[in-house]
């Protein structure tokens, strides 16, 4: 259907194409028609597939109507809008359309670099057109994931990475290139090509540092693509690059019978290729404060990437983690974030001074994606550097001696909060990560670990990690402390210390719940073979230390 307006100048582009047939139109006519089409886009909702075909034919597959950068930008903006509909989007998700759009980006980018005589607006329209084309490609990948393989072809990755490298200072271009790379980098082969041939990791690192400086300077010149938003997208692309490149490394190692039993970090020889990216991630974690108790998305992504790196070897990597001119800069910022988030989680879960298991699980779920990487990064630093372990140990356990008269989860400071998170059965990956950190702080000494947290609290972690506790350690723990009191390995507290007071503070319902929890826990551990000891709850019941509770609530206050 042909749409006519009251004036010949107001005829939209698609109507002009239909009217002219094979006749050529001048630049002014095309630009006016595109402006009219854009302002009346709803006219073409029912004909979006035909309109998409027209733009592809006239601007993408051929240069017939590429009369000016402004016209190209206008046409691709219309293509972007029309292709949001699934039916019309299928027209730009095929191999020919993807190739045409990315080749157009390449051509326009070259024009913007080579034609220095043109005005600033000319170059601006060229870059705007490139951004519109990249938006179309990203939308195609989102709606039709199968077309990601086309974008991941080497000559297409070349175009995107080259454009990012040249236009990183343009927030829209940096964001859109990163979004396309995030979606396209879905294979080991594409990641290997980008790392080894294109040095994409260095380009991403430099882009992160650029927008970090802008964020710290308070740059708000682009309201849509703020520095934090661009940083987050760039770091997401970097995370995808690291993930798939690690898979490439480990697949290659397995094929040559050199696979490591622990494939969770870059080998030293590969880590040095990412030094700029690691430095950018640590700069991000150091510079960006928590917002409402949470890491920013950029800092969260930076933590996820940092988790993939060793901290000791090679020397160049160690210098980034522990810079000689400010050794504790990164350690203290990571620990500071972890400490603040842990305190926030526990504080959110408490009501009236008593921990609520459901509330703790809810709060843990809210924060685990950002806290787990921090705990694992800190665990690696603590495990690989004795001086870091000493520094963090003094912060987590500030007292000269641990007070064994108090339950580990009720002791002052961060250590108790870590124990609460570690023993939470509904915390996803976080409890295991916290357990790893505590164990590393204690020199990976299982006996010290049991004494510090109590076996009842540690049991779930040890079960997940497959840690067996030899019977002789359980027996030794009970008699190894100086003085007349011994440490109960189940609770991590002196046997008999303040037990009557604590029991009196508990309601009958809480006593029953705690007894059931410990009974089930020890039965399960005995059954799985993790330990072989007499169930203390069963022993207490058989010895008469437990008595049948009165089901009448009115009598509960007369028990004392």
């Amino acid at each position: 259907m042909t749409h006519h307006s009251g004036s010949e100048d107001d005829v939209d582009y698609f109507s002009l194409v239909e009217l002219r047939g094979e006749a050529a139109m001048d630049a002014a006519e095309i630009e006016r028609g595109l402006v009219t089409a854009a302002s009346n886009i709803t006219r073409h909702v029912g004909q979006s597939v035909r309109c998409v075909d027209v733009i592809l034919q006239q601007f993408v597959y051929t240069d017939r109507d590429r009369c000016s950068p402004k016209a190209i930008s206008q046409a691709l903006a219309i293509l972007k809008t029309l292709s949001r509909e699934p039916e019309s989007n299928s027209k730009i998700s095929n191999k020919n359309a993807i190739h045409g759009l990315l080749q157009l980006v390449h051509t326009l980018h070259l024009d913007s670099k080579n034609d220095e005589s043109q005005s600033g607006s000319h170059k601006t329209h060229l870059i705007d057109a490139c951004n519109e084309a990249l938006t179309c490609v990203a939308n195609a990948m989102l709606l039709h994931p199968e077309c990601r393989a086309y974008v991941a072809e080497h000559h297409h990755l070349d175009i995107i990475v080259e454009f990012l490298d040249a236009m990183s200072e343009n927030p829209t271009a940096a964001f859109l290139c990163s979004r396309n790379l995030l979606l396209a980098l879905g294979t080991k082969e594409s990641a290997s090509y980008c790392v080894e041939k294109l040095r994409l990791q260095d380009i991403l690192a430099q882009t992160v540092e650029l927008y970090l400086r802008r964020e710290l300077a308070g740059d708000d010149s682009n309201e849509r693509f703020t520095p934090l938003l661009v940083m987050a997208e760039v770091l997401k692309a970097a995370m995808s690059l690291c993930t798939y490149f690690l898979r490439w490394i480990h697949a290659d190692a397995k094929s040559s019978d050199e696979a490591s039993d622990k494939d969770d970090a870059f080998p030293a020889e590969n880590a040095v290729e990412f030094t700029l990216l690691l430095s950018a991630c640590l700069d991000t974690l150091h510079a960006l404060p928590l917002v409402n108790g949470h890491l920013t998305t950029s800092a969260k992504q930076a933590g996820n990437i940092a988790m993939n790196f060793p901290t000791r070897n090679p020397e160049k990597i160690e210098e980034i983690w522990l810079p000689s001119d400010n050794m504790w800069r990164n350690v203290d910022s990571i620990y500071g974030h972890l400490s603040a988030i842990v305190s926030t989680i526990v504080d959110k879960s408490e009501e009236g001074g008593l921990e609520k298991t459901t509330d703790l699980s809810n709060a843990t779920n809210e924060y685990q994606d950002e806290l787990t990487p921090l705990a694992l990064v800190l665990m690696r630093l603590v495990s690989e550097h004795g001086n870091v372990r000493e520094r963090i140990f003094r912060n987590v356990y500030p007292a000269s001696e641990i007070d064994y008269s108090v339950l580990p989860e009720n002791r002052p400071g961060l250590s108790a909060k870590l124990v609460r998170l570690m023993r939470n059965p509904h915390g996803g990956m976080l409890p295991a990560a916290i357990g790893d950190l505590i164990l590393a702080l204690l020199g990976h000494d299982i006996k010290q670990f049991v004494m510090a947290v109590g076996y009842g609290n540690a049991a779930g972690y040890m079960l997940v990690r497959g840690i067996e506790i030899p019977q002789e350690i359980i027996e030794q723990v009970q008699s190894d402390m100086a003085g007349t009191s011994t440490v109960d390995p189940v609770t991590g507290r002196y046997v008999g210390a303040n037990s009557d007071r604590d029991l009196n503070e508990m309601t009958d319902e809480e006593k029953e719940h705690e007894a059931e929890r410990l009974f089930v826990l020890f039965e399960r551990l005995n059954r799985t073979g993790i330990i072989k000891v007499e169930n203390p709850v069963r022993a207490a019941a058989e010895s008469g230390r437990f008595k049948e509770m009165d089901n009448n609530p009115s009598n509960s206050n007369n028990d004392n």
Side-chain angles (χ1 to χ4, degrees):
M1 178 183 294
T2 302
H3 299 277
H4 296 283
S5 300
S7 166
E8 185 176 339
D9 288 344
D10 293 334
V11 179
D12 72 42
Y13 173 75
F14 300 107
S15 300
L16 288 171
V17 170
E18 186 176 344
L19 287 169
R20 78 175 181 183
E22 295 299 319
M25 292 187 291
D26 62 35
E29 191 177 13
I30 292 172
E31 289 180 6
R32 284 198 303 269
L34 288 167
V35 170
T36 303
S39 61
N40 298 281
I41 197 71
T42 55
R43 291 178 180 177
H44 305 285
V45 170
Q47 302 179 53
S48 58
V49 172
R50 183 187 71 84
C51 294
V52 166
D53 270 333
V54 169
I55 293 177
L56 289 174
Q57 290 297 331
Q58 304 302 123
F59 288 91
V60 179
Y61 300 148
T62 71
D63 61 357
R64 184 175 183 186
D65 283 349
R66 293 184 201 170
C67 58
S68 68
K70 182 178 180 181
I72 300 171
S73 178
Q74 290 171 327
L76 292 177
I78 293 172
L79 180 65
K80 173 186 68 178
T81 301
L82 292 175
S83 62
R84 288 171 181 161
E85 298 179 27
E87 185 179 1
S88 54
N89 185 271
S90 63
K91 302 293 292 186
I92 66 168
S93 61
N94 61 73
K95 190 170 186 176
N96 287 339
I98 294 294
H99 176 74
L101 286 165
L102 290 175
Q103 194 59 45
L104 182 57
V105 170
H106 179 64
T107 300
L108 297 177
H109 178 216
L110 287 178
D111 289 347
S112 72
K113 291 195 301 182
N114 297 334
D115 198 350
E116 298 295 339
S117 62
Q118 296 292 340
S119 66
S121 61
H122 181 92
K123 184 172 182 177
T124 298
H125 287 310
L126 285 171
I127 301 306
D128 288 345
C130 290
N131 289 337
E132 298 292 4
L134 288 170
T135 304
C136 290
V137 173
N139 288 343
M141 286 192 283
L142 284 170
L143 293 175
H144 297 275
E146 66 276 8
C147 77
R148 297 179 185 186
Y150 309 145
V151 184
E153 293 177 1
H154 291 177
H155 58 288
H156 291 154
L157 290 172
D158 289 344
I159 292 171
I160 299 172
V161 173
E162 181 185 17
F163 189 63
L164 172 62
D165 191 22
M167 298 303 303
S168 60
E169 293 194 7
N170 181 302
T172 305
F175 179 92
L176 290 171
C177 287
S178 300
R179 171 62 60 87
N180 276 275
L181 290 168
L182 170 64
L183 295 171
L185 288 172
T187 66
K188 303 186 296 289
E189 292 75 16
S190 61
S192 174
Y193 178 76
C194 285
V195 168
E196 296 173 351
K197 301 297 184 183
L198 303 181
R199 300 298 300 174
L200 174 59
Q201 66 275 25
D202 292 344
I203 297 170
L204 294 173
Q206 291 161 1
T207 307
V208 169
E209 295 282 16
L210 168 64
Y211 285 93
L212 179 59
R213 290 193 297 272
R214 290 187 179 182
E215 170 63 21
L216 297 178
D219 184 351
D220 58 357
S221 57
N222 190 313
E223 293 183 1
R224 183 180 178 193
F225 295 108
T226 64
L228 280 180
L229 185 61
V230 176
M231 282 179 65
E233 203 67 17
V234 174
L235 286 164
K236 288 176 186 177
M239 182 64 199
S240 183
L241 180 71
C242 291
T243 298
Y244 285 102
F245 188 64
L246 273 169
R247 292 183 186 179
W248 172 268
I249 293 170
H250 298 317
D252 187 55
K254 289 174 183 176
S255 66
S256 59
D257 297 325
E258 297 177 358
S260 168
D261 292 333
K262 193 171 184 180
D263 292 345
D264 61 349
F266 284 113
E269 62 271 20
N270 299 108
V272 294
E273 299 184 67
F274 289 79
T275 52
L276 289 180
L277 181 59
L278 174 60
S279 181
C281 290
L282 296 180
D283 287 346
T284 299
L285 284 168
H286 174 73
L288 297 182
L290 299 181
V291 178
N292 297 324
H294 285 276
L295 291 174
T296 64
T297 303
S298 300
K300 189 189 304 184
Q301 293 298 327
N304 281 318
I305 294 171
M307 190 169 56
N308 292 308
F309 287 87
T311 69
R312 190 170 189 84
N313 292 313
E315 185 177 342
K316 192 172 183 180
I317 289 292
E318 183 175 2
E319 172 63 22
I320 293 173
W321 283 103
L322 304 173
S324 54
D325 60 341
N326 190 357
M327 176 177 288
W328 303 117
R329 170 185 182 269
N330 297 317
V331 172
D332 288 349
S333 62
I334 293 170
Y335 173 78
H337 288 329
L338 179 137
S339 176
I341 295 172
V342 166
S343 296
T344 298
I345 293 174
V346 174
D347 291 345
K348 277 191 171 185
S349 71
E350 291 181 343
E351 186 175 302
L354 295 176
E355 179 187 337
K356 300 287 187 178
T357 302
T358 301
D359 292 341
L360 181 61
S361 297
N362 291 338
T364 301
N365 290 335
E366 179 184 347
Y367 286 88
Q368 67 166 315
D369 288 346
E370 54 196 282
L371 185 55
T372 300
L374 294 180
L376 293 175
V377 166
L378 199 58
M379 180 274 295
R380 194 186 298 278
L381 283 163
V382 165
S383 298
E384 297 181 357
H385 302 275
N387 55 350
V388 175
R389 179 189 162 208
E390 292 175 6
R391 186 178 184 86
I392 302 303
F393 185 89
R394 288 196 300 269
N395 285 319
V396 176
Y397 299 100
S400 58
E401 293 183 4
I402 298 174
D403 184 0
Y404 286 99
S405 66
V406 180
L407 290 170
E409 61 269 30
N410 292 334
R411 290 169 187 160
L414 186 67
S415 64
K417 296 175 181 179
L418 291 173
V419 171
R420 294 189 197 184
L421 294 181
M422 183 190 69
R423 73 177 192 171
N424 178 21
H426 305 296
M429 297 174 59
L430 181 58
I434 295 294
D436 290 342
L437 174 58
I438 297 175
L439 187 58
L441 282 171
L442 297 167
H444 298 278
D445 186 320
I446 296 298
K447 184 177 74 172
Q448 294 297 324
F449 181 70
V450 171
M451 287 195 299
V453 306
Y455 191 76
N457 291 325
Y461 165 76
M462 291 188 290
L463 197 63
V464 168
R465 290 294 189 236
I467 299 175
E468 291 191 16
I469 307 298
Q471 179 63 28
E472 59 268 24
I473 290 185
I474 297 294
E475 294 171 354
Q476 183 180 0
V477 168
Q478 293 178 308
S479 59
D480 202 32
M481 297 297 296
T484 57
S485 296
T486 58
V487 175
D488 183 344
V490 176
T491 64
R493 182 181 62 174
Y494 287 140
V495 174
N498 296 324
S499 58
D500 292 337
R501 179 180 59 81
D502 286 344
L503 284 173
N504 288 334
E505 290 176 356
M506 297 173 67
T507 66
D508 288 342
E509 184 179 357
E510 288 172 333
K511 293 174 187 176
E512 183 178 19
H513 175 76
E514 185 65 14
E516 289 176 354
R517 186 182 74 84
L518 290 173
F519 182 88
V520 171
L521 174 63
F522 269 85
E523 288 297 298
R524 182 175 65 178
L525 293 170
N526 274 306
R527 198 164 52 247
T528 57
I530 298 293
I531 61 168
K532 292 294 181 183
V533 294
E534 182 179 12
N535 189 322
V537 182
R538 187 193 300 278
E542 292 175 353
S543 68
R545 288 166 59 193
F546 283 0
K547 60 182 178 180
E548 194 72 26
M549 289 197 311
D550 192 341
N551 289 329
N552 185 354
S554 64
N555 296 331
S556 62
N557 293 328
N558 299 324
D559 290 342
N560 296 326

